[in-house]
Amino acid sequence: MTELPVPALSLVALVGISGAGKSTFAGRHFAPSQVLSSDAFRAMVADDETDQSASAAAFDALYYVAGKRLAAGRLTVVDATHVQEHARSSLVALARAHDVLPAAIVLDLPEDEAWARTEARPDRSFGRAVLARQSRDLRRTLKRLNREGFRTVHVLRGREEIEAATIRLQP
Ligand code: CTP
Ligand code: MG
């Protein structure tokens, strides 16, 4: 078991390609009310959690809620892929605006494993090319997270490390 220290008042970005296990990880380690998921917000604004054309509106709404939580001093976890720099930079900016620490927890599952899981899901229908692009974006990302402003960065490589991890909130 590996304990990942995370400041008790942080804005946590889960980072990982589709199928990496972000939502599963969030559900295991955080209370449901602490987790804001881009899928849930897409469903809220567009009745369809996979509607990518709703992403801008969904993230507006998600960040609005995250801002309210951070203003009230509540740990908040954002469950979205965060493989692209622009997505992470908005999250870092939001954390800074509220004077809380941005943290990143990267779930780095091999693309083949993530694809096998994704293919088995009734609620995912995109092609392998989408996953390949996410993987490419993630690879470029990994070295940069500290420079982008994340003060806490944890990278979990592979299924075993992901499953063995627990979160330790630091006062
Ligand atoms: N899964 C699994 N074993 C795990 C973790 C996840 O079999 N240890 C399965 C889940 O049940 C799910 C799929 O793998 O069917 C993807 O996991 P999920 O947590 O939903 O991945 P996400 O990273 O949240 O994927 P997405 O970005 O598409 O939401
Ligand atoms: Mg998910």
Side-chain angles (χ1 to χ4, degrees):
M1 191 167 89
T2 314
E3 283 195 332
L4 311 177
V6 170
L9 182 47
S10 8
L11 179 58
V12 180
L14 298 180
V15 180
I17 63 177
S18 193
K22 301 177 297 294
S23 301
T24 304
F25 187 91
R28 191 174 294 168
H29 300 293
F30 298 97
S33 56
Q34 293 177 316
V35 180
L36 305 180
S37 114
S38 54
D39 284 346
F41 278 85
R42 276 192 205 92
M44 270 183 245
V45 302
D47 297 321
D48 177 359
E49 67 169 46
T50 67
D51 183 350
Q52 299 302 312
S53 73
S55 290
F59 276 98
D60 271 358
L62 188 157
Y63 284 152
Y64 184 79
V65 175
K68 294 295 180 191
R69 292 183 54 84
L70 297 176
R74 299 188 186 284
L75 174 88
T76 300
V77 180
V78 181
D79 175 6
T81 56
H82 291 123
V83 292
Q84 294 189 331
E85 177 165 6
H86 73 85
R88 296 187 301 271
S89 65
S90 352
L91 184 138
V92 169
L94 180 67
R96 286 189 177 146
H98 291 277
D99 240 346
V100 310
L101 296 166
I105 301 176
V106 182
L107 308 190
D108 187 10
L109 191 76
E111 189 186 319
D112 286 345
E113 281 179 60
W115 177 244
R117 289 178 180 180
T118 297
E119 266 195 316
R121 290 174 71 177
D123 57 337
R124 290 290 182 274
S125 59
F126 53 80
R128 175 89 193 220
V130 170
L131 207 64
R133 185 171 352 103
Q134 292 179 355
S135 282
R136 218 159 45 234
D137 290 337
L138 179 66
R139 293 268 82 71
R140 294 198 195 106
T141 298
L142 286 173
K143 291 159 270 179
R144 280 193 205 155
L145 291 170
N146 285 110
R147 253 180 294 160
E148 289 177 7
F150 287 98
R151 299 287 298 277
T152 300
V153 176
H154 296 300
V155 181
L156 301 171
R157 294 181 204 279
R159 175 192 292 261
E160 286 185 6
E161 278 189 26
I162 293 168
E163 287 186 358
T166 59
I167 306 289
R168 181 162 44 83
L169 294 182
Q170 294 184 307

